[in-house]
Amino acid sequence: MSEGVFEEISEAIQSFEEEKVFNAVKKALSLGVDPTEIIEKGIARGLKIVGDKYERGELFLMHLVAAAEPAQKVVKELLEPEIKKRAGERKSLGKVVIGTVQGDIHDIGKNIVAAMLFAAGFEVYDLGKDVPAEEFAKKAKELNANIVGASALLSTTLPVQKEIIEALKAMGIRDKVKTIFGGAPCTAEWVEEIGGDGYAENAIEAVKVAKRLIGVKD
């Protein structure tokens, strides 16, 4: 029975229709399916299929967004509350503090990454957009986070990623926290130049990099 439910959720994600996603997840919950399995075997599967098609050039960025937005919404509104009720049952891969850097209000890409990381098993703390460097470091220290991820979609805001590295150093936690950076003007060379740990071109890559940085096999 569950396999059919998971397939229905996966197909709903691939339909890009929010109502279908919510209905499929509500149905699974009403049948008593574990919310973590709904994420891992339904939502994550659907997002991976969409992501794989994107990487093969069969879909475009708009499709990634259209799949990720209802996925993120249903996780936040229906599944996270259920998971919290059963606190401790979902094995966490690690804590990720994520946000769009100060001066930048573009957050679609960041939202996709946040949804994908959560679906992959990370605890994700989304600081939103227009976030000062110090806030990333402050939250990472407060949570004892494993990773800080920051997106910059403008060349004018790209330097804030370097400020995050400096803020982590100032907070005395740089050696404890890995960093992942992305965004349109961001490159692997830039990340290396500022002393970052990982560069992710897209959400699929962000999950791979996050796992690699904390030693989790894909």
Side-chain angles (χ1 to χ4, degrees), residues 145-161:
N146 304 92
I147 297 171
V148 165
S151 172
L153 271 293
L154 301 170
S155 58
T156 52
T157 59
L158 189 60
V160 182
Q161 293 181 337

Side-chain angles (χ1 to χ4, degrees), residues 56-73:
R56 292 198 299 268
E58 297 172 18
L59 293 175
F60 299 99
L61 178 60
M62 60 177 283
H63 296 109
L64 273 184
V65 175
E69 286 188 339
Q72 188 179 39
K73 192 172 180 181

Side-chain angles (χ1 to χ4, degrees), residues 188-206:
E189 291 74 21
W190 163 254
V191 173
E192 183 176 358
E193 180 184 329
I194 64 175
D197 300 303
Y199 162 69
E201 187 176 8
N202 54 51
I204 309 297
E205 188 66 21

Side-chain angles (χ1 to χ4, degrees), residues 32 39-40 44 47 73-74 83 88 93 98 119 127 132 134 191 199 216:
I39 293 172
E40 292 164 9
L47 288 174
K73 192 172 180 181
V74 81
I83 290 169
L93 296 182
I98 191 170
L127 301 181
E134 294 74 16
V191 173
Y199 162 69
V216 175

Side-chain angles (χ1 to χ4, degrees), residues 166-195:
E166 298 305 320
L168 291 171
K169 289 178 181 175
M171 200 73 75
I173 57 172
R174 177 65 187 100
D175 59 338
K176 299 175 183 174
V177 182
K178 299 295 185 183
T179 57
I180 300 176
F181 297 117
C186 184
T187 64
E189 291 74 21
W190 163 254
V191 173
E192 183 176 358
E193 180 184 329
I194 64 175

Side-chain angles (χ1 to χ4, degrees), residues 76-115:
K76 189 175 183 64
E77 294 184 9
L78 296 183
L79 297 172
E80 279 189 358
E82 284 295 323
I83 290 169
K84 285 175 181 174
K85 285 182 188 173
R86 313 176 187 198
E89 291 186 13
R90 186 187 190 220
K91 184 182 178 184
S92 170
L93 296 182
K95 295 178 182 176
V96 181
V97 173
I98 191 170
T100 302
V101 301
Q102 188 172 33
D104 208 321
I105 58 170
H106 302 80
D107 65 353
I108 292 175
K110 180 266 297 172
N111 290 343
I112 297 172
V113 172

